[in-house]
Amino acid sequence: MQIPMNRKKVTLLTLQDKKKRGQPISMLTAYDYPTAMLVDEAEIDMLLVGDSLGMVVLGYESTVPVSMREMLHHCRAVARGTKYAFTVGDLPFMSYQVDIATAVHNAGRLLKNGRMDSVKLEGGQEMVPTIEAIVRAGIPVMGHIGLTPQSQSKLGGYRVQGKTAVSALKLLADALALEAAGCFAIVLEAVPAVVAAKISQRLHIPTIGIGAGASCDGQVLVFHDMLGLYNQIQPRFVKNYADLRSTIIEAFITYREDIAVHNFPSEEHTYPMKAEEEKIFLDSLD
Ligand code: KIV
């Protein structure tokens, strides 16, 4: 695929401009170098190194065990594969909740060592002082409200949020507070479409939905979910754009069968030796 000559790096200004013009923003997760290159080549606007990596890459049962060290390792790999997309690194559970100084320090590490353009953290009005401090340090912050997977235990599981009028109003108040605190965008996860639409209308910053309907300013999906690579949990909001799991397993089975019947490697995958050298070699064995 040819990359257009005039392609520019996506910045915060690009994202704000898209919101103003009503042009939808695209975002995908990526956790490693080759994936980041694929996402970038497809001209996706934003690339999230989500703490979902704990579940889809590291095999944890939730995002809770993910550490700063693991996030930094994956952020660096993604940064090496990204030229154009605006990158966001997730602050993992307990890297920003204990005190504000630690939160600013860890956010800084995601930029300095992880080479991300910005950070994302979960939570509503209670996170305002933390967000303000991180933004004051010069670090762009993306908010994340609705279903916040790091606190799924407190929420009683992976459940849709904002289904009652009272909880929907609380989500709107959270979104407005996050915007006033300086967030440049907010993820709305698993929220009724009508609630997400009203929040998106009221905010000046973009909303990026995942299970929040078509009226958000942008959409995000987890790479492994949209390609059918992870089938442990299949939320209603996931659309499978490919079934790579079957494709990959079929390729592995064909490889195993090829080996079993000596179909692989064939001539084309084998290094030849000059005939005279081969003769000397074989003769010297007699
Ligand atoms: O970690 C993640 O992948 C996320 C998305 C679900 C928004 O936070």
Side-chain angles (χ1 to χ4, degrees), residues 29 31 48 50-52 90 120 122 144 187 189 210 220 222:
T29 66
Y31 313 98
L48 170 66
D51 59 357
S52 50
D90 254 341
K120 175 165 82 61
E122 297 181 4
H144 183 158
V187 168
E189 180 165 353
I210 175 160
V220 58
V222 169

Side-chain angles (χ1 to χ4, degrees), residues 114-135:
R115 298 185 44 224
M116 293 286 100
D117 295 320
S118 66
V119 303
K120 175 165 82 61
L121 56 79
E122 297 181 4
Q125 290 158 75
E126 72 285 0
M127 294 316 302
V128 162
T130 306
I131 293 167
E132 284 173 341
I134 298 175
V135 172

Side-chain angles (χ1 to χ4, degrees), residues 28-29 56 189-190 209-213 219-243:
L28 268 177
T29 66
V56 299
E189 180 165 353
I210 175 160
Q219 300 292 329
V220 58
L221 280 178
V222 169
F223 180 90
H224 293 66
D225 288 344
M226 66 102 73
L227 294 181
L229 282 169
Y230 181 80
N231 60 359
Q232 266 95 313
I233 304 175
Q234 265 294 333
R236 175 191 168 108
F237 56 69
V238 171
K239 176 170 174 183
N240 286 131
Y241 283 83
D243 178 13

